[in-house]
């Protein structure tokens, strides 16, 4: 604790310990909203630095793990005056409250009251502030340890981040100005009550401004203690804010990201896990998927946790075509003697004893120009004692480089909306829109980070509303997916970004890439072989390796796919007659998918059958639409009509049998069957129409449809079809009797 003179005045800086917990995933691996530790720390420091006159404050900042808390309290030479914890808290099923600490790879690590009390030991702080939801349940552990004042959040309540930050800033300003603890506490509650943002937001349940209820969540414990009425510091020591160790050094990254980083908590955790067990982690993915942003966030997370004694560094290698140039860039970024970059051996020797984490960002041009030399450079660096690497590229790293791969996928719908709102104008400027418009926009953007930002920026620069943005995206995606007024290049235009990747593809992959636009839901290996040809599978694998297609796996259903904005780009490169060439085979294939799904449903495998058809629904819709109007009907068979009629059981499982759009689709299928002269197809469709009418309790119409189907089944001699229709007729007649009765 700070020293005092004979008058009781402090003569050394006030000692403040800040513990920040920012776990990435829960114990069941669900992502957690990322807490930017450096920004949290900067906000607290800024509040203290604004004091007039300035107060001498010594800050020690740590990421809150069980190990760091135990180590700090076991090794500190003098007790801290203030302990500040910021992070998440939760109430367990048994009612106990825990702080959500983090482990070494960012998984939540719960800490309860008994463990917290034990780790603090015999050197408690005078005051503790637990800025975490429900933290009142942990206050007793700190009071029992010897703390005189504890500020916490009511055990029954969560608290908004903005309220917690507003409270903390005003509380410390008042406390360090010599006010009584109770006075500082009330000043902080008043700051929450008068915060303009909290006053403007209303609780959807109570319709009251958040400011009124948030201030009441803060507690000063123990209740009504006389010590709270005394100044925490009667005469604050003059001086500056200093750190017991420099919080941000040994890196060429800025303390705070220039662009907001949204989502990707699961991927950050995955990288942390792989870095623990491997020397090289390769981030691979589509152009514009945010590989560079993820790599920066990953090493920033590592730097905040002070894992690397010799620092974390980013080396930009975009458009670097030779390993000689790459070595020079590495030497420059790490502030080495230029001579260190003369060869792979000299660079490895210079870095040999360093415990550093280095990002080699954008290896694509290097891999394209001289893959063998890249392999030798990476192997030389990985042959050092402690150095570890993160690489980014559209292409896979060669197999000779021992690495763990992180395949970058799309953002979730929730993160898509958050990212869009970060870059878009305020919602008040979105014009006339409703939630359905936002849902449609997220489907169009498909979790693709670069187009999300471009679309939001388009609204800003053109002053268009949300519905106008949607219309423009559909009519002119290329003109909308770019920064308006900027020269088009890979940093300002989605088309330019994808052009770069497309132009570097081998010829077979370049030929197959546009055909992926035919498949809104992606294409399975089976479908690709049957529709495009057996040779397409290798080309599709090449597209994935070059970051021009995704490999999606949803519940074991695996497909090659394009995010929707990239599919529109591929569509623009597709030959005009591609649909006419491939649609007949595609219609036969997806009719077989419907048959397989229907068979699974009727045999009791309802979940599996429904999943197959649901995941293929966008493809099925595309080729059924083509078939209704343009299918030639070989041997007078309408695949479109028969597949549509066979969707009846599927429609039942998804509660769609009675919908008006289902009836309209069956009418189109009926027209297709009659156009081609497919009598069996027509009979099946009329039976399906009758089923819909029966479901809607339109008994007269259902009987008429069934009678027409019965006549057709008799005409073609389909005794099973006739039997099924007779049963359906009997069901309708029984329903009418029961209704009449």
């Amino acid at each position: 604790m700070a020293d005092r003179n004979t008058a009781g005045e402090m003569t050394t800086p006030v000692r403040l310990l800040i513990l920040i917990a920012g776990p990435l995933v829960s114990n069941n691996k669900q992502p957690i909203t990322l807490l930017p530790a450096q920004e949290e720390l900067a906000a607290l420091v800024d509040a203290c630095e604004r004091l007039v006159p300035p107060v001498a404050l010594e800050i020690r900042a740590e990421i809150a793990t069980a190990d760091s808390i135990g180590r700090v309290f076991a090794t500190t030479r003098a007790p801290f005056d203030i302990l500040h914890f910021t992070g998440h808290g939760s109430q367990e099923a048994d009612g106990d409250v825990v702080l959500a600490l983090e482990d070494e790879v960012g998984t939540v690590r719960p800490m309860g009251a008994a463990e917290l009390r034990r780790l603090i030991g015999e050197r408690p702080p005078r005051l503790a502030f637990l800025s975490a939801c429900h933290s009142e349940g942990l206050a007793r552990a700190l009071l029992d340890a010897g703390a005189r004042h504890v500020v916490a959040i009511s055990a029954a309540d969560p608290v908004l981040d903005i309220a917690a930050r507003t409270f903390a800033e005003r509380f410390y300003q008042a406390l360090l100005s010599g006010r009584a603890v109770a006075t500082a506490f009330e000043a902080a509650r008043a700051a929450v009550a008068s915060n303009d943002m909290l006053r403007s937001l209303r609780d959807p349940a109570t319709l009251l401004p958040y400011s009124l209820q948030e201030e009441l969540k803060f507690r000063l414990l123990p209740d009504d203690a006389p010590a709270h009425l005394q100044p925490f510091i009667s005469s604050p020591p003059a001086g500056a804010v200093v750190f017991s160790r420099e919080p941000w050094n040994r890196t060429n990254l800025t303390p705070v990201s220039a662009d907001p980083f949204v989502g990707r908590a699961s991927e950050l955790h995955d990288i942390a896990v792989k870095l623990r067990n491997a020397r090289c982690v390769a981030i691979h993915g589509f152009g514009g998927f945010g590989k560079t942003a993820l790599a920066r966030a990953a090493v920033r997370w590592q730097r905040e946790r002070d894992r690397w004694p010799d620092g974390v560094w980013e080396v930009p290698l975009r458009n670097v075509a030779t390993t000689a140039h790459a070595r020079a860039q590495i030497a420059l970024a790490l502030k080495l003697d230029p001579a260190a970059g003369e060869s792979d051996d000299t660079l490895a020797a210079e870095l040999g004893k360093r415990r550093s984490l280095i990002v080699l960002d954008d290896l694509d041009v290097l891999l394209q120009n001289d893959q063998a030399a890249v392999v030798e450079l990476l192997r030389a660096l990985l042959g050092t004692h402690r150095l570890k690497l993160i690489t980014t590229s559209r292409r896979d790293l060669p197999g000779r480089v021992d690495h763990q791969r992180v395949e970058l996928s799309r953002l979730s719908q929730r993160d898509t909306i958050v990212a869009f709102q970060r870059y878009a104008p305020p919602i008040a400027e979105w014009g006339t829109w409703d939630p359905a418009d936002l849902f449609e926009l997220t489907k169009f953007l498909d979790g693709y980070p670069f187009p999300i930002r471009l679309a939001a920026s388009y609204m800003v620069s053109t002053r268009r509303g949300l519905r106008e943005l949607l219309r423009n995206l559909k009519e002119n995606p290329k003109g909308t997916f770019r920064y308006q007024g900027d020269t088009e290049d890979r940093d300002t235009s989605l088309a330019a970004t994808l052009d770069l990747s497309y132009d570097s593809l081998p010829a077979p992959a370049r030929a197959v890439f546009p055909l992926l636009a035919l498949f809104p839901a992606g294409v399975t290996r089976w479908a690709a072989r049957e529709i495009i040809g057996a040779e397409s599978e290798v080309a599709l694998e090449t597209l994935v390796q070059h970051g021009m297609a995704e490999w999606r796996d949803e519940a074991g259903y695996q497909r090659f796919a394009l995010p929707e904005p990239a599919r529109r780009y591929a569509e623009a490169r597709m030959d005009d007659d591609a649909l006419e060439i491939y649609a007949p085979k595609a219609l036969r294939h997806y009719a077989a998918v419907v048959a397989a799904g229907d068979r699974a449903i009727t045999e009791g495998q309802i979940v599996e059958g429904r999943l197959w058809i649901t995941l293929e629904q966008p493809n099925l819709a595309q080729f059924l639409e083509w078939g209704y109007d343009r299918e030639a009907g070989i041997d007078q068979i309408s695949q479109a009509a028969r597949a549509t009629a066979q969707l009846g059981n599927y429609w039942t499982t998804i509660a769609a049998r009675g919908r008006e759009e289902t009836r309209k689709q069956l009418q189109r299928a009926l027209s297709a069957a009659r156009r081609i002269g497919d009598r069996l197809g027509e009979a099946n469709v009329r039976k399906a129409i009758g089923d819909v009418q029966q479901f809607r309790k339109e008994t007269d119409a259902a009987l008429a449809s069934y009678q027409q189907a019965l006549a057709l089944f008799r005409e073609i001699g389909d005794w099973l079809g006739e039997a099924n229709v007779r049963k359906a007729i009997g069901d309708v007649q029984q329903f009418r009797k029961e209704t009449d009765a």
Side-chain angles (χ1 to χ4, degrees):
M1 246 171 237
D3 295 329
R4 299 170 183 272
N5 60 21
T6 55
E9 298 172 336
M10 286 189 173
T11 58
T12 57
V14 178
R15 300 188 72 221
L16 169 62
L17 171 63
I18 299 177
L19 297 173
I20 302 174
L24 300 168
V25 296
S26 64
N27 286 316
N28 61 357
K29 307 308 178 194
Q30 291 302 305
I32 297 172
T33 301
L34 186 63
L35 179 69
Q38 199 63 30
E39 293 179 31
E40 288 286 317
L41 176 61
L44 284 176
V45 172
D46 183 60
C48 295
E49 287 181 332
R50 292 202 301 268
L51 290 170
V52 180
V55 174
L57 187 64
E58 181 183 299
I59 296 177
R60 178 167 180 176
E62 296 280 351
I63 296 297
T65 65
D67 177 70
S68 67
I69 293 174
R71 173 169 40 80
V72 166
F73 282 99
T75 60
T76 184
R77 291 188 296 275
F80 294 96
D81 296 293
I82 303 170
L83 162 63
H84 180 93
F85 173 87
T86 183
H88 302 289
S90 65
Q91 196 163 30
E92 305 288 85
D94 59 5
D96 288 344
V97 174
V98 296
L99 294 180
L101 308 187
E102 57 181 79
D103 68 9
E104 64 173 322
V105 293
T107 306
V108 162
R109 199 291 199 181
M111 176 173 284
E115 186 178 15
L116 178 62
R117 168 69 185 89
R118 187 175 184 185
L119 290 179
I120 289 175
E122 302 306 317
R123 296 200 167 195
R126 282 203 297 146
L127 181 147
F129 184 172
L130 300 180
S131 184
C133 298
H134 314 292
S135 56
E136 181 184 357
L138 293 160
R140 177 49 56 189
L142 290 158
L143 294 170
D144 289 346
R148 300 183 67 191
H149 320 277
V150 177
V151 177
I153 308 302
S154 173
D157 292 318
V159 66
L160 295 178
D161 288 343
I162 184 175
R165 183 175 292 188
T166 299
F167 183 98
E169 291 177 5
R170 185 63 53 80
F171 178 69
Y172 287 124
Q173 287 173 338
L175 193 76
L176 297 174
S177 296
R179 302 296 187 271
V181 177
T183 302
F185 180 80
E186 289 304 321
R189 293 217 314 183
V192 173
S194 62
N195 181 274
D196 288 339
M197 183 173 292
L198 290 171
R199 286 167 60 88
S200 67
L201 299 174
R202 293 185 178 270
D203 185 325
T206 66
L207 300 181
L208 295 173
Y210 274 116
S211 57
L212 296 179
Q213 59 190 43
E214 290 298 301
E215 67 157 315
L216 300 178
K217 295 177 180 179
F218 295 90
R219 299 289 312 279
L220 177 58
L221 303 168
D223 290 323
D224 303 321
H228 297 336
L229 302 177
Q230 302 300 316
F232 186 71
I233 307 169
S234 57
S235 181
V241 175
V242 297
F243 289 89
S244 58
R245 57 179 177 172
E246 183 61 38
W248 196 260
N249 58 11
R250 304 188 308 281
T251 182
N252 60 347
L253 294 171
T254 57
V256 177
S257 175
D259 291 316
F261 185 78
V262 176
R264 303 292 196 203
S266 296
E267 288 88 344
L268 289 172
H269 174 259
D270 190 22
I271 291 170
V273 171
K274 286 179 166 61
L275 277 176
R276 180 178 59 182
N277 303 320
R279 300 291 308 283
C280 178
V281 174
I283 301 174
H284 174 261
F286 224 97
F289 255 26
K291 298 181 292 296
T292 297
L294 176 62
R296 285 176 182 160
V299 294
R300 180 170 279 109
W301 192 87
Q302 295 278 334
R303 176 63 197 88
E304 288 172 347
R305 282 139 190 83
D306 202 27
R307 301 281 173 78
W308 304 90
D310 296 303
V312 300
W313 311 89
E314 179 189 17
V315 183
L317 295 175
R318 175 182 293 185
N319 298 327
V320 170
T322 67
T323 52
H325 188 186
R327 290 193 300 268
Q329 287 288 95
I330 294 171
L332 179 64
L334 273 68
K335 303 177 182 177
L336 308 177
D337 187 316
E342 288 181 357
S343 69
D344 293 348
D345 291 340
T346 57
L347 185 59
E350 181 66 29
L351 297 175
K353 295 183 180 180
R354 290 196 178 203
R355 189 172 181 181
S356 292
L357 176 62
I358 301 175
V359 172
L360 301 180
D361 182 45
D362 200 339
L363 296 177
D364 286 306
V365 175
L366 271 171
L367 289 169
Q368 182 177 352
N369 285 3
D370 196 348
Q371 181 172 292
V374 175
V375 169
E376 293 309 313
L377 171 60
L378 295 178
R379 286 173 60 85
L381 294 177
L382 295 173
T384 59
H385 186 53
R386 291 177 172 175
L387 194 70
K388 292 196 177 187
L389 303 177
I390 295 177
T391 67
T392 74
S393 63
R394 291 175 174 83
R395 300 180 177 213
D396 280 341
L397 281 188
R400 286 186 62 213
V401 179
D402 184 25
H403 67 282
Q404 292 285 315
R405 172 172 159 167
V406 173
E407 187 71 35
L408 205 53
S409 61
R410 298 163 296 161
L411 294 175
S412 67
Q413 185 182 59
R414 175 186 174 277
D415 286 338
T416 295
I417 293 172
V418 171
F420 181 77
Q421 288 178 323
R422 288 278 182 92
Y423 295 114
I427 291 178
E429 299 176 17
W430 287 12
T432 302
W433 66 284
D434 59 37
D437 296 316
L438 187 58
F439 176 73
E440 188 176 358
L441 177 66
T442 61
K443 286 182 63 177
F444 196 97
L445 297 174
D446 209 6
Y448 195 163
F450 190 34
I452 291 169
R453 183 166 184 175
L454 292 174
S457 299
Y458 179 85
M459 283 181 70
V460 173
S461 60
T462 63
R463 298 174 180 81
R464 302 286 177 91
L466 185 66
R467 286 184 177 172
E468 291 176 292
L469 168 66
L470 262 175
R471 185 180 66 248
N472 284 15
L473 284 172
K474 294 173 182 176
E475 295 174 354
N476 181 23
K478 182 176 180 180
T480 308
F481 282 138
R482 58 184 293 265
Y483 288 125
Q484 305 303 304
D486 286 348
T487 302
E488 288 198 56
D489 59 31
R490 64 182 297 184
D491 292 317
T492 65
S493 163
L494 177 63
T497 295
L498 296 177
D499 281 343
L500 187 69
S501 298
Y502 178 81
D503 292 340
S504 68
L505 289 172
R510 196 180 307 146
V512 167
F513 172 73
L515 298 181
L516 275 175
L518 293 171
F519 306 95
V523 62
T524 63
R525 295 181 188 276
W526 172 35
R529 286 194 295 267
E530 288 201 345
I531 300 168
I532 305 175
E535 71 285 351
S536 66
E537 191 172 350
V538 174
L540 288 167
E541 292 282 6
T542 303
L543 289 174
V544 172
Q545 291 166 4
H546 282 249
M548 282 297 280
E550 290 183 278
W551 177 241
R552 296 181 187 171
D553 187 339
E554 296 180 66
Y557 202 83
Q558 300 170 329
R559 294 160 292 157
F560 299 96
L562 296 175
E564 186 61 19
R567 194 178 74 83
R568 296 299 182 110
Y569 170 86
E571 196 172 54
R573 287 189 169 275
M574 189 169 58
D575 292 339
D576 292 340
D577 59 353
L579 181 61
E580 297 301 322
I581 292 172
Y582 294 102
K585 290 182 180 179
L587 187 53
R588 286 195 296 275
H589 173 83
Y590 291 110
V593 170
V594 171
D598 182 61
R599 186 164 54 251
I601 292 170
T602 57
E603 292 174 356
Q605 296 175 293
I606 295 174
V607 174
E608 293 85 348
R610 183 173 58 198
L611 177 68
W612 299 340
I613 298 176
T614 297
L615 291 178
E616 293 288 12
Q617 191 61 226
N619 293 337
L620 182 61
Q622 164 119 319
F623 294 110
L624 286 178
E625 282 292 319
W626 176 86
Y628 294 148
D629 297 325
R630 290 143 71 182
E631 181 185 8
I634 299 172
D635 297 328
Q636 290 185 304
I637 293 175
S638 171
Q639 297 283 352
R642 295 187 181 192
T644 304
Q646 205 165 12
L647 286 170
N649 289 322
Y650 169 73
W651 284 330
T652 298
T653 67
I654 64 169
R657 189 187 282 274
R659 294 176 186 168
E660 183 61 27
E661 55 264 33
T662 300
R663 179 155 58 179
K664 288 180 179 178
Q665 186 173 355
L666 284 166
Q667 289 295 338
R668 293 199 65 196
L670 180 62
S671 297
R674 298 179 71 179
R675 174 176 62 82
I676 290 171
D678 182 356
R679 306 295 278 170
L680 177 58
E682 182 182 350
N684 285 327
V685 173
R686 288 193 181 278
K687 163 70 167 58
I689 291 172
D691 292 342
V692 170
Q693 291 165 332
Q694 181 183 355
F695 184 86
R696 294 164 65 105
K697 298 182 174 54
E698 299 169 354
T699 53
D700 290 342
L703 283 172
S705 295
Y706 286 147
Q707 292 293 349
Q708 291 171 320
L710 183 63
L712 287 166
F713 281 126
R714 279 178 174 172
E715 178 186 324
I716 60 180
D718 187 333
W719 304 110
L720 179 59
E722 184 179 348
N724 287 332
V725 174
R726 286 189 182 280
K727 180 182 181 304
I729 291 172
D731 291 342
V732 175
Q733 291 170 335
Q734 180 64 31
F735 174 78
R736 293 179 73 169
K737 283 182 181 179
E738 292 172 356
T739 303
D740 292 342

